[in-house]
Amino acid sequence: MKMIKSLIVASSVALVACQHTPEQPKVSVAKAVTTHASSQMNYGIYKSKNNNHKPVVALVLGSGGARGYAHIGAIEILEENGIKPDFIVGTSAGSIVGSIYASGKSAQQLREIALKMNVSDVRDINIGIKGFLDGKKVENYVNKHVGNTALEQLPIPMYVVATELKHGNKVVFNHGNTGQAVRASVSIPSMFVPTKIAGTEYVDGGLVSPVPVNIARELGADIVIAVDILAQPIHTETKNVWGMFNQNINIMQSKLAAEELKNADIVIRPDLREKAHIFDVKGRENTMQAGRDETLSYIPKIKNLLATAQEGKSEANRYLVAKEKK
């Protein structure tokens, strides 16, 4: 029984990986999203739509449980340096941070949201055959902070990665209920009850794409900035059953991520050791700071990439204009 309780607590911690969202003034209540989350992907869309000849920048936010707070620190530094993505791709913890940022929140607002988040905001224990947590509170929490805005209507296009349970296929949600898509993306198997959408069950996107760089490339990104917050196997304690379970996941995810990260232009990997509890405010701040510190070291390289890509786009545009005149 003690082991079950420990698993429940641990799963709760993993879930809230990176919840963030400040209390909003009760001025008006947006209509609830009634459309199911769905995938209506148009690959290469950003290459075909790129009429202004500027480099398309994608921000990829990976899975990683409580380490998700580091995503906020990374976004803060990018924003402070005038770097805003044209679209975001997120898995699990990254889908939570990404969707709320995509709704128009500033990096500072993300920080305030993270520091105000309470366990009761996102945890709903419901012990059953398929899991300990239901996930409905996560869905409601995200929808509340995106103003019940559907994925396709978010100011910054957002792509949420999940795993279709029956066949293990990667699914990318980009339409409909934002909170529902995120709920699917964070549904860690055996901890969360799988998220059922239109009769199909979905679980954590980190199982198939822990740092979804390839999706960003397929959509047409010229520059991919990936934030990898996965637990490094070397830092994982393996002295008990829970530690062994974590290590199994960490090894598998690190191998999967390594392949995709080869296709990223920038890989930001904050130095995280998961020593703090997710609901420890100081721990949250330290994790965000780790994201800030690591991202800051990459700013010169990112700016250089942007300048080079812009010059390349401008040169191509000049060539096309000259060709048309002939």
Side-chain angles (χ1 to χ4, degrees):
M1 194 63 192
K2 287 183 179 179
M3 177 60 72
I4 292 177
K5 290 182 178 178
S6 297
L7 287 173
I8 293 174
V9 173
S11 62
S12 306
V13 170
L15 142 55
V16 208
C18 64
Q19 294 18 324
H20 36 289
T21 299
E23 299 172 3
Q24 301 292 321
K26 298 180 180 179
V27 178
S28 61
V29 179
K31 294 181 179 179
V33 178
T34 56
T35 306
H36 287 307
S38 65
S39 180
Q40 299 180 30
M41 298 294 286
N42 180 5
Y43 292 101
I45 183 173
Y46 293 97
K47 284 198 179 298
S48 62
K49 281 188 173 184
N50 190 15
N51 298 321
N52 58 6
H53 305 287
K54 291 183 179 180
V56 176
V57 179
L59 178 61
V60 175
L61 304 177
S63 65
R67 295 176 299 281
Y69 289 116
H71 286 319
I72 298 172
I75 289 171
E76 285 180 323
I77 293 298
L78 292 174
E79 191 173 278
E80 287 170 15
N81 284 274
I83 301 167
K84 263 217 162 186
D86 293 288
F87 66 92
I88 301 170
V89 186
T91 291
S92 198
S95 74
I96 300 174
V97 176
S99 61
I100 295 180
Y101 184 53
S103 73
K105 298 289 192 298
S106 67
Q108 180 58 40
Q109 286 175 307
L110 282 181
R111 173 176 286 272
E112 293 170 359
I113 287 169
L115 295 177
K116 291 180 180 179
M117 185 270 299
N118 296 312
V119 61
S120 59
D121 294 334
V122 293
R123 186 177 67 184
D124 43 5
I125 296 175
N126 182 17
I127 300 177
I129 295 176
K130 291 189 175 184
F132 302 116
L133 301 168
D134 181 71
K136 182 63 176 175
K137 276 195 172 183
V138 175
E139 177 179 333
N140 293 340
Y141 181 83
V142 171
N143 278 334
K144 171 187 174 183
H145 293 294
V146 302
N148 285 318
T149 305
L151 277 167
E152 73 276 13
Q153 296 176 342
L154 293 173
I156 301 176
M158 179 70 203
Y159 299 84
V160 177
V161 180
T163 303
E164 187 271 311
L165 180 59
K166 189 173 182 63
H167 301 98
N169 296 325
K170 176 169 60 180
V171 176
V172 184
F173 292 109
N174 65 326
H175 273 69
N177 192 320
T178 300
Q180 188 180 57
V182 171
R183 176 184 178 184
S185 186
V186 305
S187 293
I188 302 170
S190 299
M191 293 182 182
F192 288 90
V193 175
T195 299
K196 185 172 286 188
I197 302 174
T200 301
E201 291 184 317
Y202 297 91
V203 292
D204 197 326
L207 294 178
V208 291
S209 189
V211 192
V213 171
N214 291 345
I215 292 297
R217 285 296 185 203
E218 291 166 8
L219 285 166
D222 295 305
I223 296 175
V224 176
I225 301 171
V227 185
D228 175 15
I229 58 168
L230 290 172
Q232 299 304 306
I234 192 173
H235 299 311
T236 305
E237 294 290 342
T238 56
K239 297 177 181 178
N240 53 45
V241 173
W242 181 244
M244 291 298 295
F245 173 80
N246 274 336
Q247 186 70 326
N248 290 338
I249 297 298
N250 295 342
I251 291 171
M252 288 188 289
Q253 286 193 316
S254 65
K255 297 298 182 183
L256 281 173
E259 288 304 308
E260 290 207 57
L261 288 171
K262 292 176 183 177
N263 296 319
D265 297 288
I266 299 290
V267 178
I268 298 168
R269 188 175 285 118
D271 184 16
L272 300 167
R273 308 296 172 89
E274 261 190 320
K275 292 181 179 179
H277 190 281
I278 188 169
F279 295 112
D280 171 16
V281 173
K282 185 177 180 181
R284 301 180 203 183
E285 291 178 332
N286 289 341
T287 303
M288 284 187 273
Q289 188 60 45
R292 286 182 61 89
D293 292 342
E294 190 64 18
T295 304
L296 187 60
S297 68
Y298 281 93
I299 291 300
K301 186 175 181 180
I302 295 173
K303 288 186 174 180
N304 183 57
L305 277 172
L306 287 169
T308 302
Q310 178 62 65
E311 179 57 32
K313 290 281 186 180
S314 298
E315 185 61 35
N317 185 40
R318 285 193 290 270
Y319 172 78
L320 291 173
V321 170
K323 188 175 180 180
E324 288 176 0
K325 286 183 178 179
K326 291 180 180 180

